[in-house]
Amino acid sequence: MERSHWVAFAGILLMVSALFNLLNGFVAIFNHGYYSKVYSQGNRLLIFNFTAWGWIFVVIGIVMALASLGVFVGSRAARLTGICLAAFCLVAQMIFLPVYPFWSVFTMLVSLLVIYGLLVEPKHVHGARV
């Protein structure tokens, strides 16, 4: 069965986004002063502190990596999971926007491309269900 190029591209970007989330999470967990010395109001965020968000990003990154492998295999459930996780990461990066705006905007752009790539209808594949 032939697959869409956008889906393959989104699978690669989903893996890249998973690596970004793992990196973001491990920095927040192991280097406590990295984000708080830039953020002038201390270690409190909207809901949790940076360590809690670090663990959330690590778990999301691991699940995203598994979902990207499912996208490569052609699983529809993995595509839906990838869309949901990319949308969550898009919203969650808004929390890190005051700390490191360029990194957050770049990660948000990757999440948008993942969502688009997983939602796009493959036009060159006849009779394919998305």
Side-chain angles (χ1 to χ4, degrees):
M1 180 171 111
E2 213 177 324
R3 275 182 261 180
S4 171
H5 297 294
W6 269 108
V7 174
F9 180 68
I12 292 168
L13 280 183
L14 193 61
M15 182 63 78
V16 169
S17 182
L19 293 175
F20 285 168
N21 286 327
L22 285 172
L23 178 70
N24 214 8
F26 285 134
V27 166
I29 292 169
F30 295 120
N31 194 354
H32 297 288
Y34 187 73
Y35 289 120
S36 61
K37 67 182 170 188
V38 176
Y39 195 61
S40 62
Q41 296 173 344
N43 201 16
R44 280 305 282 175
L45 292 175
L46 294 175
I47 300 172
F48 304 119
N49 59 13
F50 288 114
T51 305
W53 276 109
W55 282 110
I56 290 170
F57 274 117
V58 166
V59 170
I60 293 296
I62 291 170
V63 176
M64 279 180 115
L66 294 173
S68 71
L69 295 175
V71 167
F72 288 134
V73 172
S75 171
R76 183 175 182 182
R79 288 179 69 181
L80 294 174
T81 303
I83 292 168
C84 292
L85 291 175
F88 174 78
C89 288
L90 181 70
V91 173
Q93 280 297 325
M94 290 182 192
I95 292 173
F96 285 89
L97 202 56
V99 181
Y100 284 101
F102 294 119
W103 175 258
S104 295
V105 168
F106 179 71
T107 308
M108 290 165 68
L109 179 66
V110 170
S111 295
L112 281 174
L113 285 173
V114 167
I115 292 170
Y116 177 76
L118 293 176
L119 284 177
V120 69
E121 181 77 29
K123 295 181 181 173
H124 70 281
V125 181
H126 300 293
R129 295 188 60 179
V130 179

